[in-house]
């Protein structure tokens, strides 16, 4: 066994001074050291001596060592010396400043690939002419020096060709092993040639030609399957180089190269036979000890470093982002490319062994000019999948071409690539195939058992579904949701068994009710029917439970049942950040802000580039009056989406809520670009009465948005503050006329009742104003909803101020200040809505701490 202690910098091992530990493995360590006699850097490979090896094995190793000792070549790492200290073998080797080939896989240029191939082939040729088979050619055993020369190391399982070995006796790395060795035949120059072919294929394409999570799978592929053509993974290599690699990978060793030196000739560089003047012998004892040491290390060591570089364990780097696939099929096909991107994300996310960045974050990079490394750093992922989708029609129907490229963020180079040419009828199969191929490239387990079943077998239904998703993902406007409903209805008309389309249809109907675009009972009934239909069709569909949960949430305000459905869906789809977001939103409405904050943060962690997720965290911190934390996340939302209005507006409100800093609020609003179009939000309208002295008349020209009642009420309000009683009443009457018929069809809509109370108060009808304002609070008390009820409380306080009930208004304000929410004492100091209360001692004591 290896000694427990390690050598420390400055320690002397014979004439070698330890500089630092360069690498370690299960059976040994490699140190950078100074040779104090010859004044050069060396590598000290420190190993334990195995005293349990049988005598016959030691004799065979001695024979192999004697053969290897005759080999010296500029492309083979040299052994200088060997010492034995405290039951350790310390092998003194050439120190190479450079990189293991394993660190540049997939990022090798054509010239580099050709140079590496020639160097390794030359090294193997020298060994083969000395009667030695390397036996373990792979990227982690070869170094590309900073001087441009490639060296082969670790002849740790080297065999003489005279050996008769079974597969069980052979200990090479399975992915690089020749088929004849797996079949039990003896090693030959051709078996090393096959390993070289695997190496070059991997360097060129970024992926192994034979791979799998189980040894038996890899063995089967090596014995029976032909790897994907190099041209499908990389298009810039010359044909002679591709032909050389293909010949090295021939199953039949007789069809490879007769002599390894012929490889160099095939690559355009003739290498002469090793001249006797270049051959020299070391002492048998040194060579034998060296071989024993390397064998011990290679048997149990992980990857060993040379020159400060190491191979990375892919199992620690299974984080991936799928950037929006480029639409190359014409402008009208953009929705289709986005739908395919979503499907690929969903397919990868089914495997809990990989962390996949969600849709919202990656969509921000559509058309981005940032590099792979820049995007990878921002998303904190190890790999990025990019690609393009072209859908075209011909006489045989629609064709589909998908190109996919998997890049390693660390190097910025391609690790895997493939082009899929299919008829559109093969759409769902290629979605799964692509996901499986990417998982294989990431070395994920169980890459064949997690395929998503086709959501529908009707291509026309799927096309409508993707169009519906396009509208649904655009935003919360009335028009977008209405168009989405039309597309989903077309989808289920084409395929009445399309569960996913029914689930999304239910989401849309619930959103129509929730956003006050249609507050009728029939809208909620349609949401429930669609959700139930989705559940009946596919009881294990996470989206069906999500849809039913949103029905309970948006239509019935039954938060307990909503959470039940969301948690069932989360068990089925644990990587779904939208489910975490939905859970958090319900918990926030329940008043459970700490738990809501935790779930919002979990969702934001999965979706780190989503401005919406960052905003939700900031909004929740604001409710908790933790303003410093709220600012951090709002700043993040602004950085992620600089033209999104709500982040600027709420950040400006935070400055008012925290310390009444009007100048800071103005500064925030001034930073919003014109594209943000702040005037679209009624939260901005309300802010104007604070940040604009005397309420600028220009605010009367704001556009009418979806919330028409809020628009009229705002104009009535600012005219009250400007003492224009005629316009105040005119706008209030417009608000009343707009609300009344809608309230008749939805009498329990709390927002409509609250709005109508404000309209009557502005019209001077005190009793009706208070009546409708109070009814709104009864319909939606804070015990039922801790979020929307806060705005109804504020409306009620304003109604009481307008109608002259100052004492009741002060009591209402005192109650609001006792709750988490969007009001504060600094806010009440600066909002002109409450200016008439300044003369009341109770109010001044409440807000300023003194009645004077």
């Amino acid at each position: 066994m290896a000694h427990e202690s390690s050598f420390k910098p400055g320690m002397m091992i014979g004439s070698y001074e330890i500089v630092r530990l360069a690498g370690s493995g299960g059976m040994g360590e490699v140190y950078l050291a100074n040779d104090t006699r010859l004044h050069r850097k060396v590598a000290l490979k420190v190993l334990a001596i195995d005293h349990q090896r049988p005598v016959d094995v030691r004799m065979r190793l001695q024979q192999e060592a004697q053969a290897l000792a005759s080999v010296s070549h500029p492309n083979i790492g040299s052994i200088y010396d060997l010492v034995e200290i405290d039951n350790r073998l310390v092998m003194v080797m050439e120190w190479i400043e450079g990189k293991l080939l394993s660190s540049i896989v997939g990022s090798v240029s054509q010239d580099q690939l050709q140079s590496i191939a020639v160097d390794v082939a030359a090294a193997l040729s020298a060994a083969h002419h000395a009667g030695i088979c390397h036996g373990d050619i792979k990227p982690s055993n070869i170094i590309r020096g900073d001087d441009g020369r490639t060296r082969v190391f670790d002849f740790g399982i080297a065999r003489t060709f005279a050996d008769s070995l079974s597969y069980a006796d052979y200990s090479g790395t399975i992915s690089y092993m020749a088929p004849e060795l797996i079949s039990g035949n003896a090693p030959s120059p051709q078996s090393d040639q096959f390993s070289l072919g695997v190496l070059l294929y991997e360097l060129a394409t970024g992926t192994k030609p034979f791979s799998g999570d189980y040894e038996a799978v890899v063995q089967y592929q090596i014995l029976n399957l032909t790897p994907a053509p190099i041209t499908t993974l990389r298009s810039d290599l010359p044909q002679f180089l591709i032909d050389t690699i293909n010949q090295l990978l021939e199953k039949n060793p007789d069809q490879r190269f007769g002599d390894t030196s012929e490889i160099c000739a095939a690559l355009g560089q003739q290498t002469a036979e090793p001249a006797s003047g270049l051959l020299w012998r070391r002492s048998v004892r040194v060579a034998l000890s060296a071989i024993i040491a390397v064998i011990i290390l290679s048997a149990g060591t992980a990857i060993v470093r040379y020159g400060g570089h190491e191979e990375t364990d892919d199992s620690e780097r299974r984080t991936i982002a799928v950037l929006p696939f480029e639409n190359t099929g014409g402008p009208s096909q953009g929705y289709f490319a986005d739908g395919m991107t979503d499907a690929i994300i969903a397919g990868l996310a089914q495997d809990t062994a990989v962390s996949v960045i969600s849709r919202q974050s990656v969509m921000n990079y559509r058309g981005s000019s940032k590099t792979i490394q820049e995007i990878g750093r921002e998303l904190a992922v190890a790999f990025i999948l990019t690609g393009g989708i072209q859908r075209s029609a011909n006489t045989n129907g629609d064709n589909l071409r998908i190109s996919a490229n998997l890049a390693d963020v660390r190097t910025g180079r391609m690790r895997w690539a493939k082009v899929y040419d299919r008829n559109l009828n093969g759409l769902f199969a290629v979605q799964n195939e692509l996901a499986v191929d990417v998982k294989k490239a990431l070395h994920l387990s169980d890459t064949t058992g997690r395929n998503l079943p086709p959501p529908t077998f009707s291509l026309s239904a799927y096309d409508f579904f993707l169009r519906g998703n396009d509208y649904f993902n655009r935003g919360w406007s009335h028009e977008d949701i209405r168009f989405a409903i039309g597309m989903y209805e077309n989808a289920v008309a084409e395929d009445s068994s399309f569960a996913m389309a029914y689930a999304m249809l239910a989401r849309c109907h619930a959103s129509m009710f929730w956003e006050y675009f249609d507050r009728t009972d029939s809208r909620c009934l349609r949401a429930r029917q669609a959700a139930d239909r989705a559940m009946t069709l596919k009881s294990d569909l996470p989206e069906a439970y999500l849809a039913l949960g949103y029905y309970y949430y948006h239509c019935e305000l039954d938060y307990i049942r909503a959470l039940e459905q969301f948690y069932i869906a989360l068990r089925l789809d644990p990587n779904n950040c939208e489910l975490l977001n939905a859970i958090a939103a319900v918990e926030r409405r329940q008043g459970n802000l700490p738990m809501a904050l935790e779930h919002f943060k979990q969702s934001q962690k999965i979706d780190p580039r989503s401005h919406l997720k960052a905003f939700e965290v900031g909004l929740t911190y604001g409710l908790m009056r933790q303003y410093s934390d709220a600012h951090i996340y709002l700043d993040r939302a602004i950085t992620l989406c600089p033209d999104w209005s709500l982040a600027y507006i709420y950040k400006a409100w935070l400055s008012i809520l925290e310390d009444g800093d009007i100048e800071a609020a103005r500064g925030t609003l001034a930073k919003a670009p014109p594209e943000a179009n702040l005037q679209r939000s009624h939260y901005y309208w309300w802010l104007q009465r604070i940040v604009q002295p005397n309420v600028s008349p220009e605010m009367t020209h704001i556009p009418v948005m979806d919330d028409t009642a809020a628009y009229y009420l705002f104009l009535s309000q600012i005219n009250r503050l400007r003492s224009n009683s005629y316009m105040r009443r005119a706008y209030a009457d417009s608000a009343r006329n707009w609300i009344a018929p809608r309230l008749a069809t939805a009498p329990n809509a709390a927002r409509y009742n609250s709005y109508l109370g404000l309209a009557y108060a502005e019209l001077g009808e005190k009793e009706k104003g208070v009546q409708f304002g109070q009814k709104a609070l009864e319909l939606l008390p804070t015990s039922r909803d801790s979020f929307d009820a806060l705005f109804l409380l504020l409306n009620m306080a304003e109604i009481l101020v307008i109608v002259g009930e100052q004492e009741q208004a002060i009591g209402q304000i005192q109650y609001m200040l006792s709750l988490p929410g969007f009001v504060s004492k600094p806010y009440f100091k600066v909002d002109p809505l409450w200016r008439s209360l300044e003369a009341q001692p109770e109010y001044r004591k409440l807000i300023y701490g003194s009645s004077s």
Side-chain angles (χ1 to χ4, degrees), residues 175 179 182 194 208-227 251 440:
S175 297
I182 294 175
F194 186 92
K208 293 184 177 68
F210 314 103
S211 62
D213 297 296
Y214 303 97
E215 187 172 286
V217 173
V218 180
Q219 291 177 27
Y220 176 84
Q221 292 181 6
I222 293 173
L223 291 170
N224 299 285
L225 301 184
T226 300
K251 304 294 186 188
K440 286 181 179 179

Side-chain angles (χ1 to χ4, degrees), residues 57 141 245 398 482 733:
V57 175
N141 283 344
I245 297 173
D398 279 5
R482 186 169 63 82
D733 190 55

Side-chain angles (χ1 to χ4, degrees), residues 263-573:
I263 300 172
C264 301
L267 294 170
Q269 178 174 329
Q270 182 67 47
T271 299
E273 296 287 331
S276 59
L278 295 177
L279 303 179
W280 57 278
R281 294 179 178 270
R282 294 187 179 95
S283 104
V284 174
R285 176 181 178 276
V286 172
L288 174 61
S289 299
I291 293 300
I292 294 173
V294 178
I295 288 176
I296 295 170
L297 183 60
S298 64
T301 282
I303 303 303
V304 177
R305 305 179 187 178
Y306 294 99
H309 300 278
E310 67 175 329
E311 185 173 15
T312 303
D313 181 1
D314 286 330
S315 66
E316 299 176 356
R317 304 175 63 239
R318 292 169 178 172
T319 53
I320 186 172
V322 182
L323 298 191
F325 271 43
E326 181 184 359
N327 168 40
T328 59
S332 64
Q333 297 297 316
Y335 74 94
F336 188 82
D338 285 349
M340 287 294 294
T341 303
D342 292 341
I344 293 165
I345 291 173
L348 290 172
Q350 291 301 301
D351 196 322
T352 57
V354 64
S355 176
V356 186
I357 297 298
S358 70
R359 180 187 198 278
Q360 182 65 47
S361 282
V362 298
M363 287 299 172
N364 292 332
Y365 291 98
R366 187 196 309 277
S368 175
S369 60
K370 294 180 177 179
T371 66
I372 289 296
Q373 282 124 325
E374 289 172 333
I375 296 173
R377 284 192 295 268
E378 291 179 1
L379 294 174
V381 295
F383 296 97
I384 289 181
L385 185 70
T386 58
I389 296 176
Q390 181 176 1
R391 180 181 174 185
S392 58
N394 58 27
T395 56
N396 297 320
D398 279 5
N399 283 343
L400 188 66
R401 165 167 282 196
I402 301 176
S403 60
N405 306 277
L406 183 67
D408 190 323
V409 169
R410 180 186 55 183
T411 63
R413 301 294 184 174
M414 181 177 63
R415 174 169 179 150
W416 167 89
K418 191 171 182 179
V419 175
Y420 303 83
D421 284 308
R422 301 288 190 276
N423 184 275
L424 194 59
N425 291 323
L427 171 66
F428 304 121
V430 77
Q431 288 176 355
N432 278 328
E433 183 182 350
L434 195 156
V436 169
D437 287 345
V438 172
K439 291 177 190 179
K440 286 181 179 179
L442 294 174
H443 305 303
L444 293 175
S445 60
D446 191 19
T447 57
T448 59
R450 297 175 182 266
N451 288 352
L452 290 174
T456 176
F457 290 100
S458 168
L459 290 176
S460 59
Y462 190 64
D463 191 82
F464 281 125
F465 175 73
L466 293 183
R467 293 177 188 270
N469 289 348
D470 182 47
Y471 283 109
F472 185 80
N473 290 323
R474 290 182 185 183
W476 302 315
S477 75
H478 185 191
E479 286 301 297
D480 286 339
I481 298 175
R482 186 169 63 82
F483 278 123
I485 287 174
M487 294 298 102
Y488 293 135
E489 287 179 337
N490 287 338
V492 298
E494 292 286 327
D495 179 4
S496 60
S497 63
F498 196 167
M500 185 82 79
Y502 276 110
M504 293 305 300
L505 183 59
R507 292 278 303 277
C508 286
H509 286 313
S511 293
M512 288 287 285
F513 185 83
W514 180 253
E515 298 294 340
Y516 275 73
F517 299 144
D518 180 359
R519 294 293 293 189
T520 61
D521 291 340
S522 62
R523 182 64 69 175
C524 285
L525 178 61
R526 292 164 73 182
R528 179 59 191 261
Q529 289 174 337
D532 286 345
R533 177 64 175 162
M535 192 76 70
T536 300
L537 289 169
K538 193 167 178 55
S539 61
D540 62 346
L541 183 68
E543 287 78 7
Y545 292 97
L546 183 64
L548 186 56
Y550 269 113
Y551 163 77
Y552 286 125
Y553 175 6
H554 286 167
C555 293
E556 295 192 6
L557 301 187
D558 189 337
Y559 297 145
I560 293 177
R561 287 189 178 183
L563 286 177
E564 287 177 352
Q565 302 305 315
F566 291 156
Y567 274 111
I568 293 173
L570 192 64
R571 287 196 294 272
L572 294 170
D573 190 3

Side-chain angles (χ1 to χ4, degrees), residues 103 123 167 228 275 295 299 334 434 465 469 484 575 586 590 688 736 787:
S103 70
Y167 171 74
I295 288 176
L434 195 156
F465 175 73
N469 289 348
N575 285 334
V586 170
Q590 289 178 315
Q688 292 310 296
R736 178 181 60 181
F787 191 86

Side-chain angles (χ1 to χ4, degrees), residues 96-97 144-151:
I96 303 298
E97 295 288 354
R144 177 74 168 171
D146 292 343
D147 59 0
R149 182 155 49 95
T150 305
R151 279 87 151 184

Side-chain angles (χ1 to χ4, degrees), residues 226-249:
T226 300
I230 295 174
T231 52
T232 65
L233 304 177
R234 182 168 177 174
S235 59
D236 65 334
L237 296 183
Q239 192 60 46
F240 77 86
L241 187 52
I242 294 173
D243 290 342
T244 300
I245 297 173
N246 288 339
Q247 185 172 348
L248 291 169
L249 291 174

Side-chain angles (χ1 to χ4, degrees), residues 470-789:
D470 182 47
Y471 283 109
F472 185 80
N473 290 323
R474 290 182 185 183
W476 302 315
S477 75
H478 185 191
E479 286 301 297
D480 286 339
I481 298 175
R482 186 169 63 82
F483 278 123
I485 287 174
M487 294 298 102
Y488 293 135
E489 287 179 337
N490 287 338
V492 298
E494 292 286 327
D495 179 4
S496 60
S497 63
F498 196 167
M500 185 82 79
Y502 276 110
M504 293 305 300
L505 183 59
R507 292 278 303 277
C508 286
H509 286 313
S511 293
M512 288 287 285
F513 185 83
W514 180 253
E515 298 294 340
Y516 275 73
F517 299 144
D518 180 359
R519 294 293 293 189
T520 61
D521 291 340
S522 62
R523 182 64 69 175
C524 285
L525 178 61
R526 292 164 73 182
R528 179 59 191 261
Q529 289 174 337
D532 286 345
R533 177 64 175 162
M535 192 76 70
T536 300
L537 289 169
K538 193 167 178 55
S539 61
D540 62 346
L541 183 68
E543 287 78 7
Y545 292 97
L546 183 64
L548 186 56
Y550 269 113
Y551 163 77
Y552 286 125
Y553 175 6
H554 286 167
C555 293
E556 295 192 6
L557 301 187
D558 189 337
Y559 297 145
I560 293 177
R561 287 189 178 183
L563 286 177
E564 287 177 352
Q565 302 305 315
F566 291 156
Y567 274 111
I568 293 173
L570 192 64
R571 287 196 294 272
L572 294 170
D573 190 3
N575 285 334
N576 192 325
C577 66
E578 299 304 325
L579 282 167
L580 287 168
N581 212 69
I583 289 168
V586 170
E587 290 168 336
R588 187 166 60 190
R589 291 183 178 276
Q590 289 178 315
N592 190 353
L593 295 183
M595 186 62 73
L597 182 64
E598 179 63 28
H599 282 129
F600 275 131
K601 283 186 172 181
Q602 289 180 25
S603 175
Q604 195 262 340
K605 185 177 181 181
I606 299 173
D607 200 357
R609 301 296 295 177
S610 167
H611 63 284
L612 296 175
K613 304 295 190 303
F615 178 82
E616 293 290 6
V617 177
L619 182 67
T620 308
Y621 269 126
L623 272 170
M624 301 169 75
R625 298 193 175 95
Q626 297 181 24
Y627 298 118
S628 296
D629 292 321
H631 276 294
I632 291 172
Y633 282 91
L634 290 177
D635 286 341
R636 184 176 300 175
I638 289 171
T639 299
L640 292 170
C641 191
D643 58 354
W644 188 54
S645 63
L646 205 53
Y648 294 98
I649 295 168
Y650 187 50
K651 182 174 171 60
W653 270 111
L654 284 181
S655 296
I656 300 298
L657 294 169
E658 185 174 10
D659 50 20
D661 192 337
I662 295 175
E663 288 303 318
R666 289 173 181 157
T668 296
L669 296 176
K671 293 177 182 177
E675 295 80 9
N677 197 1
L678 301 179
Q679 290 191 349
R680 293 174 61 89
S681 170
H682 53 252
Y683 300 108
Y684 174 75
W685 307 343
W686 302 339
L687 193 59
Q688 292 310 296
R689 65 177 182 248
I690 300 174
V691 300
Q692 286 200 42
N694 302 319
V695 190
S696 171
E698 284 77 12
M699 285 303 296
T700 59
H701 301 297
I702 60 175
V704 179
M705 301 308 298
D706 287 332
D707 198 342
T708 305
Y711 167 77
Y712 287 133
L713 289 171
F714 168 73
L715 294 178
S716 178
Q717 182 188 80
I718 65 171
N719 278 283
R720 168 165 47 93
L721 294 175
R722 294 169 58 203
S723 300
N724 187 335
S725 60
Y726 175 78
M727 294 304 298
R728 167 192 174 185
R729 291 179 61 85
Y731 282 120
D733 190 55
S734 295
R736 178 181 60 181
N737 289 334
W738 188 92
I739 296 167
R742 288 165 177 78
L743 193 61
T745 58
N748 293 327
R751 186 191 300 175
Y752 285 161
N753 279 276
S754 183
Y755 281 172
L756 192 57
L758 279 169
Y760 277 121
E762 296 284 16
L763 290 168
E765 298 188 38
K766 174 179 178 179
E767 183 177 345
K768 287 185 177 179
V770 173
Q771 172 190 341
F772 281 102
Q774 188 60 42
K775 183 180 179 181
L777 295 180
E778 292 169 357
L779 288 169
L780 193 67
T782 54
S783 60
R784 190 178 185 195
D785 189 315
S786 294
F787 191 86
D788 279 354

